Amino acid sequence: MVEIIEKHQPITGESIAEKIGLTRATLRPDLAVLSMCGLIDAKPKVGYYISNKKNNKDIIEKLSAIKVSEIKSLPINVSENTSVYDAIVTLFLENVGTLFVVEDDALKGVISRKDLLKSAMGGKDLTSIPVGVIMTRMPKIVYCTEDDSIIDAAEKIIENEVDCVPIITNMPNGKIKAFGRISKTNITKVLLEISK
């Protein structure tokens, strides 16, 4: 993508997508990461062009070298039988945007703020609804492995419009375990450290 932008700059997102054979929506996360890293810039009604900032390759190399396992946060877990009310309380007490549903160390599901908000808007008794009813279950859960870079994580977060993804490992019984989480906050902290 960088080569196409360099050759045809300034170039619109639609033109880049056409040259690669993808939709602009598919490229949006990649363009956002390239822009965030300072490799490219964009001007409205003009298009994308190569940034004149120095050391862009160094930044990309630094970001690619940082694995999610190095900057992860601890997962905040609840059980499938936890009530929606208790999950909301846990979300606020732990100051997170996503909870993981775990049973016998195995990841069963993920609950986002959006999931909890939808449930609360229904006007039902939140103490009687278990989170197992509203959670996103496997295989629809987006996740990272410990070897993924923070660029991989950022792409998954942006593409899937989520706040956080679990970092998983395979268990001997074939199930998966979430041993960490990577969020927009984790990634932003790294970007701030690199920029300083």
Side-chain angles (χ1 to χ4, degrees):
M1 220 178 341
V2 172
E3 289 173 6
I4 291 171
I5 294 169
E6 192 170 26
K7 187 176 180 182
H8 302 284
Q9 62 185 326
I11 183 170
T12 64
E14 289 84 12
S15 297
I16 297 168
E18 188 178 300
K19 289 185 183 302
I20 297 176
L22 298 170
T23 65
R24 185 171 186 274
T26 304
L27 293 182
R28 191 171 290 126
D30 296 312
L31 291 169
V33 170
L34 290 173
S35 181
M36 194 169 45
C37 294
L39 280 176
I40 63 171
D41 279 322
K43 287 186 180 173
K45 298 183 182 179
V46 175
Y48 293 95
Y49 57 94
I50 298 298
S51 172
N52 290 328
K53 297 173 186 167
K54 295 180 181 177
N55 300 325
N56 290 336
K57 288 183 181 177
D58 291 342
I59 293 170
I60 289 291
E61 287 174 9
K62 283 181 184 176
L63 292 174
S64 297
I66 300 170
K67 303 301 180 196
V68 292
S69 56
E70 297 171 35
I71 63 162
K72 72 182 185 304
S73 297
L74 292 174
I76 306 301
N77 301 331
V78 295
S79 72
E80 207 167 342
N81 296 324
T82 302
S83 72
V84 170
Y85 177 84
D86 288 338
I88 292 170
V89 171
T90 302
L91 197 78
F92 280 105
L93 290 175
E94 298 291 342
N95 194 25
V96 293
T98 306
L99 299 173
F100 301 147
V101 180
V102 173
E103 183 181 309
D104 297 325
D105 281 340
L107 180 64
K108 304 287 280 182
V110 173
I111 309 162
S112 69
R113 286 183 285 209
K114 290 177 191 173
D115 297 327
L116 295 169
L117 183 58
K118 284 180 202 173
S119 297
M121 291 174 68
K124 297 180 182 171
D125 178 16
L126 300 180
T127 59
S128 64
I129 303 169
V131 293
V133 174
I134 66 162
M135 70 184 185
T136 301
R137 295 178 180 271
M138 287 302 259
K140 293 185 178 183
I141 298 174
V142 179
Y143 57 84
C144 286
T145 62
E146 61 185 331
D147 293 327
D148 285 338
S149 72
I150 64 168
I151 292 176
D152 298 325
E155 285 179 342
K156 290 176 183 184
I157 287 170
I158 292 169
E159 267 178 28
N160 296 283
E161 298 180 359
V162 294
D163 291 331
C164 154
V165 292
I167 305 169
I168 61 108
T169 187
N170 291 316
M171 295 169 61
N173 60 7
K175 296 181 180 180
I176 61 169
K177 176 180 182 172
F179 69 92
R181 64 184 169 88
I182 187 86
S183 67
K184 293 175 183 177
T185 304
N186 297 107
I187 295 168
T188 305
K189 283 179 183 175
V190 170
L191 291 174
L192 279 173
E193 287 174 16
I194 289 174
S195 70
K196 291 179 180 176

